[in-house]
Amino acid sequence: MEYVVEDLSPVKKKIHVSLDAQEVDAAIAASVAMHRNSVQIDGFRRGKAPASVVERRFRDQIYQEAKQDLINVHINEVLQTGGFTPVSGVDLDGGDLSRGEALRYSFSFEILPEFELPVYEGMEVEQEKAVVEPEEVQQVIERIRRDKSTLHPVDGANPPVDGQVAVISFEGFEDGTPVEGIKAQNFELPLGERQALEDFEALVKTIPLDEEKEGDIAFPADFINPELAGRTVRMRIRVHAVKERRLPELDKEFAASMGFEDVDKLREGIDASYRKSRENLHRGAAQKKLLDGLLKMADFPLPESMLDLNVKNLLADMQGRLERQGKNIASLGKKYEELRAQVLPEAESITRSQVFLLRVARKENLTVTDQEIDGHLYQAAMHSGEDVASLKDLYVKSGMIFHLRDRLLADKAMEAMYAKVVVRETEALKELKPRADLGALPGEKV
């Protein structure tokens, strides 16, 4: 085998490979031998048919497999001897395989750019101290008590009020005709928790027990269901029951139901869980600040394949968010080029971080093992319900296995880099963190 390396850009290589006829003939012969032992041809016992007959009968399949085997072997050899590590899949441009003739083909791929890393060892980084206030723990306990509460009928026939749960039936009409999708029976509506349109709740709170009322409800222009957005519907509502929540006592029995010995242990468990979550959050914020600062000191080109993948991922996320709102990406009224331009700055920022961290990984001699990749795919398959082998096959055939490897390697690099800086802990902010800041206690319903 002979090969020549062509530099298409600072981040893209093209390898021109030439194999002599002798190697081509040997690959074809090996493929014929494998088929000869595995196929049944009329008039011959298995494995006894002449090689020429097998080759003639299964020529296309034999030659394709021989070509694929040759190319795979030599691509791996070129990458290893040349010290190339693709950050994307390999694009192949190959010729036809013929007996007695040399095979010439080329393949291209992108690599990390070469650039000088700024010195990060010994840099000082601020990380906010993780603090969980007693009132935060109490808020969690009250939320758990509410989740474990039971509903009991309220005496009297007064209209329901905030803090109570109204059991209602309702139906929507336009010009006396029922509106499809706006109908429910014995629906439990917690009042005062903004789980329904404000006007709808206001109407419910005017209806005494076992009575019915009608009123016009205007759906906002950005309503989650686009078929109802901006419409005004006549709503007919009946209140069947009014209930109140009764919270469980905060005692040893309650703590035991959460897996703790007593209430004090419960508080300690919540504090530890949330403190750990907050530590991870502050650590991540400090790591991002470190990375952002280092990126300002480095300049390098971006591999197009990595950038394109991040654009696709961001657009897929955008589509997912829209679908959860009952919309689709076409509803934005933008062409693909416009959507790409919209997410491109963020995609470039993500790609710059990935490239930088992969260079750090190379400096730190970090690697990702096949076992680590398989473990990640196993977790992904368990989460999605897919077959592990099928998911891995998809990643390999699509080239996504390269991107998965690089993502895991970048995570390792961030941890290795952070381990070499000087972390200075700062006082926590005084205001309480929003709910998104907090983790969830194991077994807790969020």
Side-chain angles (χ1 to χ4, degrees):
M1 176 194 68
E2 295 180 353
Y3 71 89
V4 176
V5 179
E6 180 184 1
D7 293 325
L8 299 181
S9 79
V11 293
K12 192 166 187 177
K13 303 282 186 182
K14 187 170 187 177
I15 312 295
H16 301 272
V17 182
S18 178
L19 306 178
D20 60 34
Q22 184 177 358
E23 190 170 3
V24 169
D25 289 347
I28 293 174
S31 185
V32 169
M34 290 186 61
H35 278 265
R36 186 184 184 196
N37 291 324
S38 62
V39 299
Q40 180 68 54
I41 298 178
D42 293 341
F44 301 95
R45 288 182 294 161
R46 185 182 296 276
K48 298 300 182 180
S52 59
V53 174
V54 174
E55 182 175 344
R56 186 168 57 252
R57 180 75 63 87
F58 301 99
R59 186 184 188 284
D60 290 346
Q61 186 175 349
I62 287 172
Y63 278 49
Q64 179 60 37
E65 290 179 2
K67 175 183 173 180
Q68 194 63 51
D69 289 343
L70 271 176
I71 288 175
N72 287 343
V73 167
H74 289 103
I75 284 179
N76 289 332
E77 183 179 344
V78 169
L79 294 179
Q80 185 173 1
T81 58
F84 303 121
T85 303
V87 295
S88 64
V90 171
D91 294 325
L92 180 68
D93 181 12
D96 294 329
L97 202 67
S98 297
R99 273 191 178 277
E101 295 183 10
L103 173 65
R104 293 180 177 83
Y105 66 94
S106 61
F107 63 96
S108 56
F109 53 89
E110 289 189 304
I111 60 172
L112 289 177
E114 295 293 336
F115 62 96
E116 186 176 351
L117 282 171
V119 177
Y120 49 81
E121 294 87 348
M123 286 187 67
E124 191 171 282
V125 179
E126 292 185 349
Q127 178 175 321
E128 186 179 338
K129 183 178 180 181
V131 176
V132 179
E133 302 293 346
E135 54 265 37
E136 292 180 286
V137 175
Q138 187 60 38
Q139 288 172 7
V140 175
I141 290 176
E142 293 307 316
R143 189 175 68 250
I144 298 172
R145 291 179 69 200
R146 183 187 180 284
D147 290 341
K148 291 179 172 291
S149 65
T150 55
L151 295 176
H152 298 268
V154 175
D155 293 334
N158 294 326
V161 298
D162 286 346
Q164 296 178 335
V165 176
V167 182
I168 62 174
S169 295
F170 62 87
E171 186 171 10
F173 297 86
E174 275 186 329
D175 299 326
T177 302
V179 177
E180 185 177 354
I182 307 182
K183 184 177 182 179
Q185 297 291 327
N186 296 315
F187 180 81
E188 291 188 346
L189 175 64
L191 297 173
E193 298 181 12
R194 303 177 67 86
Q195 294 192 20
L197 292 176
E198 185 177 347
D199 290 347
F200 185 87
E201 280 202 24
L203 179 57
V204 171
K205 288 185 283 190
T206 67
I207 308 173
L209 182 65
D210 290 328
E211 292 191 19
E212 182 178 279
K213 276 190 178 182
E214 293 185 6
D216 290 333
I217 303 298
F219 289 86
D222 59 350
F223 191 64
I224 187 170
N225 184 344
E227 295 183 1
L228 296 175
R231 293 167 64 179
T232 297
V233 176
R234 187 72 174 176
M235 202 72 71
R236 182 183 300 161
I237 305 173
R238 172 174 287 275
V239 175
H240 300 291
V242 179
K243 300 180 180 181
E244 62 181 2
R245 295 187 184 278
R246 294 184 185 174
L247 305 181
E249 292 294 328
L250 185 56
D251 53 18
K252 192 170 184 177
E253 182 180 350
F254 175 81
S257 72
M258 296 296 298
F260 293 90
E261 181 181 341
D262 53 36
V263 175
D264 288 340
K265 295 295 184 184
L266 171 62
R267 293 185 187 278
E268 292 174 8
I270 294 173
D271 182 280
S273 176
Y274 279 37
R275 191 179 301 275
K276 181 63 176 177
S277 175
R278 191 160 288 173
E279 284 175 355
N280 291 337
L281 181 73
H282 295 334
R283 180 183 176 87
Q287 287 179 341
K288 184 179 185 306
K289 188 175 181 180
L290 167 66
L291 181 58
D292 288 345
L294 291 169
L295 283 170
K296 293 178 181 178
M297 295 185 277
D299 184 32
F300 47 85
L302 302 179
E304 282 295 323
S305 59
M306 293 180 69
L307 182 61
D308 287 344
L309 178 66
N310 285 319
V311 166
K312 291 176 183 177
N313 288 341
L314 290 172
L315 290 177
D317 290 343
M318 179 189 297
Q319 181 172 335
R321 290 194 300 271
L322 289 169
E323 288 176 351
R324 288 191 292 272
Q325 298 172 14
K327 304 176 183 178
N328 58 51
I329 205 162
S331 67
L332 299 178
K334 295 182 179 180
K335 297 179 180 179
Y336 173 79
E337 292 76 13
E338 294 175 295
L339 293 172
R340 187 181 191 280
Q342 181 178 327
V343 302
L344 186 58
E346 184 178 357
E348 289 175 338
S349 176
I350 293 171
T351 308
R352 277 182 54 79
S353 297
Q354 291 172 333
V355 169
F356 186 93
L357 288 172
L358 290 174
R359 283 287 288 111
V360 171
R362 191 165 76 182
K363 175 186 175 183
E364 300 289 344
N365 295 316
L366 302 175
T367 59
V368 172
T369 66
D370 290 341
Q371 290 78 10
E372 288 173 314
I373 292 176
D374 288 345
H376 181 89
L377 291 173
Y378 176 80
Q379 292 296 330
M382 294 300 100
H383 180 73
S384 64
E386 296 178 75
D387 176 69
V388 179
S390 298
L391 183 62
K392 183 174 182 178
D393 187 57
L394 173 65
Y395 268 70
V396 171
K397 288 182 177 178
S398 66
M400 287 291 293
I401 200 76
F402 292 101
H403 301 291
L404 173 59
R405 178 206 64 196
D406 289 346
R407 182 154 55 87
L408 296 178
L409 195 54
D411 290 342
K412 279 190 173 184
M414 186 71 254
E415 291 300 326
M417 189 167 62
Y418 200 66
K420 293 188 175 183
V421 302
V422 178
V423 179
R424 184 166 62 85
E425 199 170 55
T426 62
E427 289 301 315
L429 299 176
K430 295 302 181 183
E431 66 269 23
L432 296 184
K433 300 295 185 295
R435 180 65 187 94
D437 179 308
L438 301 175
L441 191 66
E444 178 194 349
K445 180 180 177 183
V446 178

